[in-house]
Amino acid sequence: MAADYQYNNPLLEDFLFPPYDAIQPKHVSPAILSLLDQLESNLVELETRGEPTWPKLVEPLEKIKDRLSVVWGIVNHLNAVMDSPELRSAIEEVQPEKVKFQLRLDQSKPVYTAFKAIRQSSEWESLNELRFASVDLELHKNYIPGGLESVFDIDQRVSRKTQVMPLQPEDRFLCSFSHIFADTYAAGYYCYQWAEVLAADAFSAFEEAGLNNEKAVKETGIKFRETVLALGGGKSPLQVIPV
């Protein structure tokens, strides 16, 4: 009979809308225990074979979390709207195992290490800024209101060239990109990257002069002061930066 509750269990079916009318307290324990076994296997496989990439780490991890969240959420909702001693007892029976798996999932060292590798990659920060700058320019130059591409389509397209991990389809970063949508930047966000390029060029001039050569560093410093610092915004950067 227990096997019937496991294999003919509305909580384990593929559904678009939860079959609340078919779920009974007797289904809860077999469903949750069976689901936890399956998700544990999925997690072990992810820890063993997962790589620090979006499709091989983030997507399978989200599927594990979403599956547990959906089924457990259905059970909790039922408990809230049609509380009964049988349902409470069924939930109390499996809740320790659910909490145990949740803690194991959230504290997985291999998963943490993989995410850390993504976050510490040298491309992370620079590519993030490149995304902002590229989207800014693309919207300013090529966006056509009411055209074939929405602003979010453009963000997705540009981001495929700049992100370590691709954006989620529902990403709406642009709604909070206040620098260009709620300020006076126009197409000016790219200036951050341009400033970094100019700063790198300026420092490379000192490196080429020889950082241990006090005389050469002083001469370069005077040149920097008399051009970049003294002229400031009075001339175009192409005229200010010595070539």
Side-chain angles (χ1 to χ4, degrees), residues 152-226:
F152 304 115
D153 293 332
I154 290 176
D155 189 19
Q156 290 281 343
R157 172 166 56 78
V158 171
S159 297
R160 282 195 287 272
K161 301 178 181 179
T162 60
Q163 295 299 99
V164 175
M165 299 185 296
L167 302 182
Q168 290 279 55
E170 63 272 19
D171 186 285
R172 291 297 181 265
F173 152 75
L174 289 178
C175 293
S176 62
F177 197 8
S178 58
H179 278 72
I180 64 170
F181 289 119
D183 214 322
T184 55
Y185 267 64
Y189 195 90
Y190 71 93
C191 68
Y192 288 108
Q193 288 300 118
W194 181 235
E196 289 187 21
V197 170
L198 295 181
D201 284 348
F203 184 70
S204 67
F206 287 90
E207 289 182 311
E208 291 168 6
L211 296 178
N212 294 322
N213 186 331
E214 186 175 345
K215 182 175 180 295
V217 167
K218 184 176 181 180
E219 291 174 352
T220 304
I222 292 172
K223 188 177 182 181
F224 180 72
R225 182 186 65 189
E226 293 177 348

Side-chain angles (χ1 to χ4, degrees), residues 33-74:
L33 294 178
S34 176
L35 179 62
L36 291 177
D37 284 344
Q38 180 60 55
L39 296 182
E40 174 65 25
S41 298
N42 295 342
L43 179 57
V44 169
E45 183 176 0
L46 179 62
E47 291 174 327
T48 305
R49 302 181 183 180
E51 299 176 11
T53 65
W54 185 273
K56 294 191 176 181
L57 175 67
V58 181
E59 288 182 356
L61 183 62
E62 285 301 309
K63 288 179 181 178
I64 292 174
K65 290 186 173 184
D66 286 347
R67 182 63 173 152
L68 180 59
S69 175
V70 166
V71 175
W72 191 253
I74 292 171

Side-chain angles (χ1 to χ4, degrees), residues 26 29 36 48 90 97 110 112 118 144 147 152 211 219 241 243:
K26 64 184 180 182
S29 180
L36 291 177
T48 305
E97 293 301 316
Y112 167 77
I118 294 174
I144 301 174
F152 304 115
L211 296 178
E219 291 174 352
I241 303 294
V243 237

Side-chain angles (χ1 to χ4, degrees), residues 36 72 90-103:
L36 291 177
W72 191 253
I91 293 174
E92 290 171 2
E93 180 183 349
V94 293
Q95 190 165 35
E97 293 301 316
K98 185 266 181 183
V99 171
K100 180 180 177 182
F101 175 77
Q102 190 74 58
L103 290 174

